[in-house]
Amino acid sequence: MIYLNGKFMPIEEACVPVLDRGFIFGDGVYEVIPAYSRKLFRLESHLHRLQHSLDSIRLTNPYNNSQWHDLLEKIVVGNDNEDQYIYLHVTRGVAKRDHAFPPNSTPTVFIMSNPLLAPSQDLLTNGCSAITAIDNRWIRCDIKSISLLPNVLLRQMAIDANASETILIRDGFLTEGSASSIFIVRDNVLLAPPKSHLMLPGITYDVVLELATANHIPYRIREIHEEELQSADEIMLTSSTREIMAVTRLNDNPVGTGRPGKLCQRLQQLYHHYKTTTMRGDTPLS
Ligand code: PMP
């Protein structure tokens, strides 16, 4: 069951006019929210980031938080799986094609759910491969825009190289993955690039740093040079759907020992415990 512009329906029945500005211009923003045991994880943080994205593209939020909450809950209840990820998307609506904002269009709102599968045993045991590439996206990567063509092309580069993710480098420094945040470990210290307009403020990124704080894992938030990435002891990628994953090969070279590192495994355990405990991640840890 999906939600489109005020109605719940099977996805096969959902249609959007061809003049929707999401279709014509990619003029819209989105969110991806995990639900564990049918409980939305970090909902407030996701709605806060949605508001930031909408403000940044000067689109009025069509709903308040309690309306979003009701709609998202209905989608979670109306779909089969206990663990799901909810995709929501707001565009500037349908209007005659013109780049400038239409004077009075109604935003299009679409919400769907997909099963959220736990990372496979193979991925947990062996980690995944990544490649690096120049970050050739625009300079408002903090907006969760549906215009994802650069991310699509960058991710496909990884797939073509038999890897899972492309890690992006801008002016010699790590930004993030094509669809994930990236952390590295050097000398037992977790390093994270600082949030800026050059990366999406990941919700999982926040959870990882909160878990590090709560469990006395030393970390630093600072610029990470490409060479530090290439010679890191550990690399991990994080996202709402992939959680925390060890990157064990970078550009066909082993990362550290070539096996998932100690810190990554520890964070995976902590994350697993956190998402499955009674808190369900509702409240930030710190
Ligand atoms: N950066 C990019 C470019 C992403 O697409 C994602 C995943 N949506 C992330 C970072 C991770 O964000 P989150 O932890 O909120 O899923």
Side-chain angles (χ1 to χ4, degrees), residues 249-277:
R249 294 192 74 78
L250 185 67
N251 297 330
D252 257 338
N253 298 313
V255 176
T257 61
R259 314 287 306 162
K262 269 206 244 95
L263 206 40
C264 180
Q265 287 177 316
R266 172 116 172 88
L267 285 164
Q268 283 172 330
Q269 279 166 2
L270 291 168
Y271 188 89
H272 183 78
H273 179 259
Y274 180 51
K275 77 176 192 193
T276 50
T277 51

PDB file of all heavy atoms in Angstrom, residues 249-277:
ATOM      1  N   ARG A 249      37.768  -3.748   0.915  1.00  0.00           N
ATOM      2  CA  ARG A 249      38.649  -3.549  -0.250  1.00  0.00           C
ATOM      3  C   ARG A 249      38.383  -2.167  -0.813  1.00  0.00           C
ATOM      4  O   ARG A 249      37.230  -1.766  -0.963  1.00  0.00           O
ATOM      5  CB  ARG A 249      38.388  -4.601  -1.336  1.00  0.00           C
ATOM      6  CG  ARG A 249      38.747  -6.021  -0.920  1.00  0.00           C
ATOM      7  CD  ARG A 249      38.754  -6.982  -2.111  1.00  0.00           C
ATOM      8  NE  ARG A 249      39.912  -6.811  -2.977  1.00  0.00           N
ATOM      9  CZ  ARG A 249      41.123  -7.273  -2.705  1.00  0.00           C
ATOM     10  NH1 ARG A 249      41.342  -7.931  -1.582  1.00  0.00           N
ATOM     11  NH2 ARG A 249      42.116  -7.081  -3.543  1.00  0.00           N
ATOM     12  N   LEU A 250      39.454  -1.456  -1.085  1.00  0.00           N
ATOM     13  CA  LEU A 250      39.310  -0.132  -1.694  1.00  0.00           C
ATOM     14  C   LEU A 250      40.164  -0.097  -2.949  1.00  0.00           C
ATOM     15  O   LEU A 250      41.380  -0.342  -2.880  1.00  0.00           O
ATOM     16  CB  LEU A 250      39.768   0.961  -0.707  1.00  0.00           C
ATOM     17  CG  LEU A 250      39.538   2.396  -1.196  1.00  0.00           C
ATOM     18  CD1 LEU A 250      38.041   2.712  -1.298  1.00  0.00           C
ATOM     19  CD2 LEU A 250      40.220   3.407  -0.268  1.00  0.00           C
ATOM     20  N   ASN A 251      39.543   0.185  -4.068  1.00  0.00           N
ATOM     21  CA  ASN A 251      40.245   0.205  -5.362  1.00  0.00           C
ATOM     22  C   ASN A 251      41.070  -1.062  -5.550  1.00  0.00           C
ATOM     23  O   ASN A 251      42.220  -1.025  -5.967  1.00  0.00           O
ATOM     24  CB  ASN A 251      41.143   1.442  -5.471  1.00  0.00           C
ATOM     25  CG  ASN A 251      40.333   2.723  -5.431  1.00  0.00           C
ATOM     26  OD1 ASN A 251      39.185   2.740  -5.861  1.00  0.00           O
ATOM     27  ND2 ASN A 251      40.914   3.786  -4.906  1.00  0.00           N
ATOM     28  N   ASP A 252      40.467  -2.185  -5.168  1.00  0.00           N
ATOM     29  CA  ASP A 252      41.092  -3.510  -5.335  1.00  0.00           C
ATOM     30  C   ASP A 252      42.265  -3.794  -4.404  1.00  0.00           C
ATOM     31  O   ASP A 252      42.942  -4.806  -4.569  1.00  0.00           O
ATOM     32  CB  ASP A 252      41.498  -3.748  -6.797  1.00  0.00           C
ATOM     33  CG  ASP A 252      40.489  -4.667  -7.464  1.00  0.00           C
ATOM     34  OD1 ASP A 252      39.800  -5.393  -6.722  1.00  0.00           O
ATOM     35  OD2 ASP A 252      40.380  -4.627  -8.694  1.00  0.00           O
ATOM     36  N   ASN A 253      42.492  -2.948  -3.421  1.00  0.00           N
ATOM     37  CA  ASN A 253      43.511  -3.240  -2.406  1.00  0.00           C
ATOM     38  C   ASN A 253      42.809  -3.552  -1.090  1.00  0.00           C
ATOM     39  O   ASN A 253      41.762  -2.973  -0.796  1.00  0.00           O
ATOM     40  CB  ASN A 253      44.429  -2.025  -2.177  1.00  0.00           C
ATOM     41  CG  ASN A 253      45.172  -1.662  -3.441  1.00  0.00           C
ATOM     42  OD1 ASN A 253      45.733  -2.530  -4.102  1.00  0.00           O
ATOM     43  ND2 ASN A 253      45.136  -0.392  -3.809  1.00  0.00           N
ATOM     44  N   PRO A 254      43.404  -4.451  -0.259  1.00  0.00           N
ATOM     45  CA  PRO A 254      42.770  -4.717   1.034  1.00  0.00           C
ATOM     46  C   PRO A 254      42.832  -3.488   1.934  1.00  0.00           C
ATOM     47  O   PRO A 254      43.800  -2.729   1.892  1.00  0.00           O
ATOM     48  CB  PRO A 254      43.610  -5.861   1.623  1.00  0.00           C
ATOM     49  CG  PRO A 254      44.849  -5.941   0.812  1.00  0.00           C
ATOM     50  CD  PRO A 254      44.620  -5.241  -0.488  1.00  0.00           C
ATOM     51  N   VAL A 255      41.777  -3.284   2.720  1.00  0.00           N
ATOM     52  CA  VAL A 255      41.779  -2.211   3.731  1.00  0.00           C
ATOM     53  C   VAL A 255      42.242  -2.856   5.040  1.00  0.00           C
ATOM     54  O   VAL A 255      41.621  -3.827   5.494  1.00  0.00           O
ATOM     55  CB  VAL A 255      40.363  -1.622   3.910  1.00  0.00           C
ATOM     56  CG1 VAL A 255      40.355  -0.589   5.033  1.00  0.00           C
ATOM     57  CG2 VAL A 255      39.856  -1.028   2.603  1.00  0.00           C
ATOM     58  N   GLY A 256      43.307  -2.364   5.627  1.00  0.00           N
ATOM     59  CA  GLY A 256      43.866  -2.971   6.853  1.00  0.00           C
ATOM     60  C   GLY A 256      44.206  -4.424   6.588  1.00  0.00           C
ATOM     61  O   GLY A 256      44.915  -4.742   5.636  1.00  0.00           O
ATOM     62  N   THR A 257      43.594  -5.312   7.407  1.00  0.00           N
ATOM     63  CA  THR A 257      43.878  -6.750   7.259  1.00  0.00           C
ATOM     64  C   THR A 257      43.084  -7.364   6.107  1.00  0.00           C
ATOM     65  O   THR A 257      43.235  -8.544   5.804  1.00  0.00           O
ATOM     66  CB  THR A 257      43.452  -7.498   8.536  1.00  0.00           C
ATOM     67  OG1 THR A 257      42.029  -7.291   8.693  1.00  0.00           O
ATOM     68  CG2 THR A 257      44.173  -6.975   9.762  1.00  0.00           C
ATOM     69  N   GLY A 258      42.169  -6.575   5.531  1.00  0.00           N
ATOM     70  CA  GLY A 258      41.297  -7.123   4.489  1.00  0.00           C
ATOM     71  C   GLY A 258      40.056  -7.799   5.058  1.00  0.00           C
ATOM     72  O   GLY A 258      39.235  -8.340   4.318  1.00  0.00           O
ATOM     73  N   ARG A 259      39.921  -7.777   6.396  1.00  0.00           N
ATOM     74  CA  ARG A 259      38.750  -8.324   7.082  1.00  0.00           C
ATOM     75  C   ARG A 259      38.045  -7.182   7.815  1.00  0.00           C
ATOM     76  O   ARG A 259      38.688  -6.168   8.118  1.00  0.00           O
ATOM     77  CB  ARG A 259      39.148  -9.383   8.137  1.00  0.00           C
ATOM     78  CG  ARG A 259      40.144 -10.407   7.682  1.00  0.00           C
ATOM     79  CD  ARG A 259      39.557 -11.402   6.728  1.00  0.00           C
ATOM     80  NE  ARG A 259      38.367 -12.059   7.242  1.00  0.00           N
ATOM     81  CZ  ARG A 259      37.484 -12.713   6.464  1.00  0.00           C
ATOM     82  NH1 ARG A 259      37.659 -12.756   5.159  1.00  0.00           N
ATOM     83  NH2 ARG A 259      36.435 -13.297   6.993  1.00  0.00           N
ATOM     84  N   PRO A 260      36.747  -7.324   8.131  1.00  0.00           N
ATOM     85  CA  PRO A 260      36.087  -6.270   8.913  1.00  0.00           C
ATOM     86  C   PRO A 260      36.868  -5.994  10.201  1.00  0.00           C
ATOM     87  O   PRO A 260      37.289  -6.928  10.886  1.00  0.00           O
ATOM     88  CB  PRO A 260      34.708  -6.859   9.211  1.00  0.00           C
ATOM     89  CG  PRO A 260      34.464  -7.811   8.090  1.00  0.00           C
ATOM     90  CD  PRO A 260      35.809  -8.403   7.762  1.00  0.00           C
ATOM     91  N   GLY A 261      37.088  -4.727  10.491  1.00  0.00           N
ATOM     92  CA  GLY A 261      37.929  -4.352  11.630  1.00  0.00           C
ATOM     93  C   GLY A 261      37.193  -4.432  12.953  1.00  0.00           C
ATOM     94  O   GLY A 261      35.959  -4.551  13.002  1.00  0.00           O
ATOM     95  N   LYS A 262      37.980  -4.352  14.024  1.00  0.00           N
ATOM     96  CA  LYS A 262      37.431  -4.496  15.390  1.00  0.00           C
ATOM     97  C   LYS A 262      36.418  -3.402  15.714  1.00  0.00           C
ATOM     98  O   LYS A 262      35.357  -3.640  16.255  1.00  0.00           O
ATOM     99  CB  LYS A 262      38.571  -4.409  16.403  1.00  0.00           C
ATOM    100  CG  LYS A 262      39.159  -5.755  16.732  1.00  0.00           C
ATOM    101  CD  LYS A 262      39.779  -5.700  18.123  1.00  0.00           C
ATOM    102  CE  LYS A 262      41.213  -5.894  18.099  1.00  0.00           C
ATOM    103  NZ  LYS A 262      42.336  -5.310  18.074  1.00  0.00           N
ATOM    104  N   LEU A 263      36.769  -2.173  15.346  1.00  0.00           N
ATOM    105  CA  LEU A 263      35.897  -1.050  15.700  1.00  0.00           C
ATOM    106  C   LEU A 263      34.571  -1.137  14.934  1.00  0.00           C
ATOM    107  O   LEU A 263      33.498  -0.866  15.474  1.00  0.00           O
ATOM    108  CB  LEU A 263      36.629   0.265  15.413  1.00  0.00           C
ATOM    109  CG  LEU A 263      36.211   1.461  16.220  1.00  0.00           C
ATOM    110  CD1 LEU A 263      35.943   1.133  17.666  1.00  0.00           C
ATOM    111  CD2 LEU A 263      37.293   2.531  16.127  1.00  0.00           C
ATOM    112  N   CYS A 264      34.675  -1.530  13.667  1.00  0.00           N
ATOM    113  CA  CYS A 264      33.447  -1.671  12.865  1.00  0.00           C
ATOM    114  C   CYS A 264      32.549  -2.743  13.486  1.00  0.00           C
ATOM    115  O   CYS A 264      31.341  -2.521  13.657  1.00  0.00           O
ATOM    116  CB  CYS A 264      33.803  -2.028  11.422  1.00  0.00           C
ATOM    117  SG  CYS A 264      32.335  -2.221  10.413  1.00  0.00           S
ATOM    118  N   GLN A 265      33.128  -3.863  13.848  1.00  0.00           N
ATOM    119  CA  GLN A 265      32.319  -4.945  14.424  1.00  0.00           C
ATOM    120  C   GLN A 265      31.679  -4.510  15.741  1.00  0.00           C
ATOM    121  O   GLN A 265      30.525  -4.823  16.018  1.00  0.00           O
ATOM    122  CB  GLN A 265      33.182  -6.197  14.619  1.00  0.00           C
ATOM    123  CG  GLN A 265      33.493  -6.850  13.289  1.00  0.00           C
ATOM    124  CD  GLN A 265      34.404  -8.045  13.436  1.00  0.00           C
ATOM    125  OE1 GLN A 265      35.386  -8.019  14.171  1.00  0.00           O
ATOM    126  NE2 GLN A 265      34.098  -9.114  12.734  1.00  0.00           N
ATOM    127  N   ARG A 266      32.449  -3.754  16.511  1.00  0.00           N
ATOM    128  CA  ARG A 266      31.910  -3.261  17.796  1.00  0.00           C
ATOM    129  C   ARG A 266      30.720  -2.321  17.543  1.00  0.00           C
ATOM    130  O   ARG A 266      29.679  -2.431  18.178  1.00  0.00           O
ATOM    131  CB  ARG A 266      33.035  -2.547  18.544  1.00  0.00           C
ATOM    132  CG  ARG A 266      32.618  -1.816  19.778  1.00  0.00           C
ATOM    133  CD  ARG A 266      33.252  -2.402  21.031  1.00  0.00           C
ATOM    134  NE  ARG A 266      32.992  -1.575  22.205  1.00  0.00           N
ATOM    135  CZ  ARG A 266      31.916  -1.706  22.967  1.00  0.00           C
ATOM    136  NH1 ARG A 266      31.022  -2.620  22.708  1.00  0.00           N
ATOM    137  NH2 ARG A 266      31.739  -0.914  24.021  1.00  0.00           N
ATOM    138  N   LEU A 267      30.892  -1.420  16.586  1.00  0.00           N
ATOM    139  CA  LEU A 267      29.805  -0.475  16.288  1.00  0.00           C
ATOM    140  C   LEU A 267      28.581  -1.206  15.724  1.00  0.00           C
ATOM    141  O   LEU A 267      27.438  -0.841  16.022  1.00  0.00           O
ATOM    142  CB  LEU A 267      30.293   0.616  15.331  1.00  0.00           C
ATOM    143  CG  LEU A 267      31.184   1.671  15.994  1.00  0.00           C
ATOM    144  CD1 LEU A 267      31.943   2.499  14.950  1.00  0.00           C
ATOM    145  CD2 LEU A 267      30.361   2.610  16.894  1.00  0.00           C
ATOM    146  N   GLN A 268      28.828  -2.239  14.928  1.00  0.00           N
ATOM    147  CA  GLN A 268      27.699  -3.022  14.394  1.00  0.00           C
ATOM    148  C   GLN A 268      26.903  -3.656  15.534  1.00  0.00           C
ATOM    149  O   GLN A 268      25.675  -3.634  15.541  1.00  0.00           O
ATOM    150  CB  GLN A 268      28.202  -4.122  13.441  1.00  0.00           C
ATOM    151  CG  GLN A 268      28.591  -3.579  12.078  1.00  0.00           C
ATOM    152  CD  GLN A 268      29.274  -4.621  11.206  1.00  0.00           C
ATOM    153  OE1 GLN A 268      29.934  -5.524  11.709  1.00  0.00           O
ATOM    154  NE2 GLN A 268      29.136  -4.480   9.904  1.00  0.00           N
ATOM    155  N   GLN A 269      27.640  -4.203  16.519  1.00  0.00           N
ATOM    156  CA  GLN A 269      26.958  -4.823  17.678  1.00  0.00           C
ATOM    157  C   GLN A 269      26.158  -3.780  18.447  1.00  0.00           C
ATOM    158  O   GLN A 269      25.017  -3.998  18.831  1.00  0.00           O
ATOM    159  CB  GLN A 269      27.983  -5.427  18.642  1.00  0.00           C
ATOM    160  CG  GLN A 269      28.489  -6.776  18.233  1.00  0.00           C
ATOM    161  CD  GLN A 269      29.746  -7.154  19.031  1.00  0.00           C
ATOM    162  OE1 GLN A 269      30.190  -6.401  19.903  1.00  0.00           O
ATOM    163  NE2 GLN A 269      30.302  -8.299  18.715  1.00  0.00           N
ATOM    164  N   LEU A 270      26.796  -2.631  18.677  1.00  0.00           N
ATOM    165  CA  LEU A 270      26.132  -1.571  19.441  1.00  0.00           C
ATOM    166  C   LEU A 270      24.887  -1.075  18.711  1.00  0.00           C
ATOM    167  O   LEU A 270      23.839  -0.849  19.316  1.00  0.00           O
ATOM    168  CB  LEU A 270      27.099  -0.400  19.683  1.00  0.00           C
ATOM    169  CG  LEU A 270      28.270  -0.684  20.638  1.00  0.00           C
ATOM    170  CD1 LEU A 270      29.303   0.434  20.571  1.00  0.00           C
ATOM    171  CD2 LEU A 270      27.746  -0.843  22.072  1.00  0.00           C
ATOM    172  N   TYR A 271      25.022  -0.922  17.404  1.00  0.00           N
ATOM    173  CA  TYR A 271      23.888  -0.441  16.605  1.00  0.00           C
ATOM    174  C   TYR A 271      22.751  -1.461  16.668  1.00  0.00           C
ATOM    175  O   TYR A 271      21.585  -1.112  16.851  1.00  0.00           O
ATOM    176  CB  TYR A 271      24.329  -0.212  15.159  1.00  0.00           C
ATOM    177  CG  TYR A 271      23.291   0.467  14.298  1.00  0.00           C
ATOM    178  CD1 TYR A 271      23.239   1.857  14.221  1.00  0.00           C
ATOM    179  CD2 TYR A 271      22.364  -0.265  13.566  1.00  0.00           C
ATOM    180  CE1 TYR A 271      22.284   2.495  13.433  1.00  0.00           C
ATOM    181  CE2 TYR A 271      21.407   0.366  12.783  1.00  0.00           C
ATOM    182  CZ  TYR A 271      21.378   1.742  12.720  1.00  0.00           C
ATOM    183  OH  TYR A 271      20.437   2.361  11.946  1.00  0.00           O
ATOM    184  N   HIS A 272      23.115  -2.741  16.509  1.00  0.00           N
ATOM    185  CA  HIS A 272      22.103  -3.800  16.531  1.00  0.00           C
ATOM    186  C   HIS A 272      21.366  -3.782  17.877  1.00  0.00           C
ATOM    187  O   HIS A 272      20.141  -3.856  17.926  1.00  0.00           O
ATOM    188  CB  HIS A 272      22.759  -5.157  16.294  1.00  0.00           C
ATOM    189  CG  HIS A 272      21.761  -6.266  16.236  1.00  0.00           C
ATOM    190  ND1 HIS A 272      20.987  -6.496  15.119  1.00  0.00           N
ATOM    191  CD2 HIS A 272      21.364  -7.162  17.164  1.00  0.00           C
ATOM    192  CE1 HIS A 272      20.167  -7.494  15.359  1.00  0.00           C
ATOM    193  NE2 HIS A 272      20.370  -7.922  16.598  1.00  0.00           N
ATOM    194  N   HIS A 273      22.143  -3.662  18.934  1.00  0.00           N
ATOM    195  CA  HIS A 273      21.546  -3.662  20.269  1.00  0.00           C
ATOM    196  C   HIS A 273      20.633  -2.448  20.427  1.00  0.00           C
ATOM    197  O   HIS A 273      19.500  -2.543  20.892  1.00  0.00           O
ATOM    198  CB  HIS A 273      22.656  -3.650  21.330  1.00  0.00           C
ATOM    199  CG  HIS A 273      22.109  -3.631  22.718  1.00  0.00           C
ATOM    200  ND1 HIS A 273      22.050  -2.478  23.473  1.00  0.00           N
ATOM    201  CD2 HIS A 273      21.555  -4.607  23.472  1.00  0.00           C
ATOM    202  CE1 HIS A 273      21.491  -2.766  24.637  1.00  0.00           C
ATOM    203  NE2 HIS A 273      21.198  -4.042  24.662  1.00  0.00           N
ATOM    204  N   TYR A 274      21.126  -1.307  19.993  1.00  0.00           N
ATOM    205  CA  TYR A 274      20.379  -0.057  20.141  1.00  0.00           C
ATOM    206  C   TYR A 274      19.043  -0.105  19.400  1.00  0.00           C
ATOM    207  O   TYR A 274      17.990   0.238  19.940  1.00  0.00           O
ATOM    208  CB  TYR A 274      21.245   1.097  19.636  1.00  0.00           C
ATOM    209  CG  TYR A 274      20.596   2.444  19.719  1.00  0.00           C
ATOM    210  CD1 TYR A 274      20.025   2.886  20.909  1.00  0.00           C
ATOM    211  CD2 TYR A 274      20.544   3.278  18.618  1.00  0.00           C
ATOM    212  CE1 TYR A 274      19.423   4.127  20.990  1.00  0.00           C
ATOM    213  CE2 TYR A 274      19.958   4.525  18.690  1.00  0.00           C
ATOM    214  CZ  TYR A 274      19.390   4.937  19.874  1.00  0.00           C
ATOM    215  OH  TYR A 274      18.802   6.157  19.948  1.00  0.00           O
ATOM    216  N   LYS A 275      19.078  -0.599  18.150  1.00  0.00           N
ATOM    217  CA  LYS A 275      17.831  -0.579  17.361  1.00  0.00           C
ATOM    218  C   LYS A 275      16.841  -1.622  17.857  1.00  0.00           C
ATOM    219  O   LYS A 275      15.651  -1.524  17.587  1.00  0.00           O
ATOM    220  CB  LYS A 275      18.127  -0.776  15.868  1.00  0.00           C
ATOM    221  CG  LYS A 275      18.436  -2.188  15.484  1.00  0.00           C
ATOM    222  CD  LYS A 275      18.622  -2.376  13.992  1.00  0.00           C
ATOM    223  CE  LYS A 275      18.643  -3.865  13.687  1.00  0.00           C
ATOM    224  NZ  LYS A 275      19.095  -4.221  12.369  1.00  0.00           N
ATOM    225  N   THR A 276      17.327  -2.656  18.561  1.00  0.00           N
ATOM    226  CA  THR A 276      16.406  -3.703  19.004  1.00  0.00           C
ATOM    227  C   THR A 276      16.011  -3.577  20.481  1.00  0.00           C
ATOM    228  O   THR A 276      15.205  -4.350  20.962  1.00  0.00           O
ATOM    229  CB  THR A 276      17.006  -5.111  18.772  1.00  0.00           C
ATOM    230  OG1 THR A 276      18.321  -5.124  19.309  1.00  0.00           O
ATOM    231  CG2 THR A 276      17.051  -5.473  17.311  1.00  0.00           C
ATOM    232  N   THR A 277      16.586  -2.606  21.183  1.00  0.00           N
ATOM    233  CA  THR A 277      16.183  -2.442  22.590  1.00  0.00           C
ATOM    234  C   THR A 277      14.909  -1.624  22.669  1.00  0.00           C
ATOM    235  O   THR A 277      14.427  -1.099  21.668  1.00  0.00           O
ATOM    236  CB  THR A 277      17.263  -1.729  23.423  1.00  0.00           C
ATOM    237  OG1 THR A 277      17.618  -0.539  22.740  1.00  0.00           O
ATOM    238  CG2 THR A 277      18.474  -2.599  23.657  1.00  0.00           C
TER     239      THR A 277
END
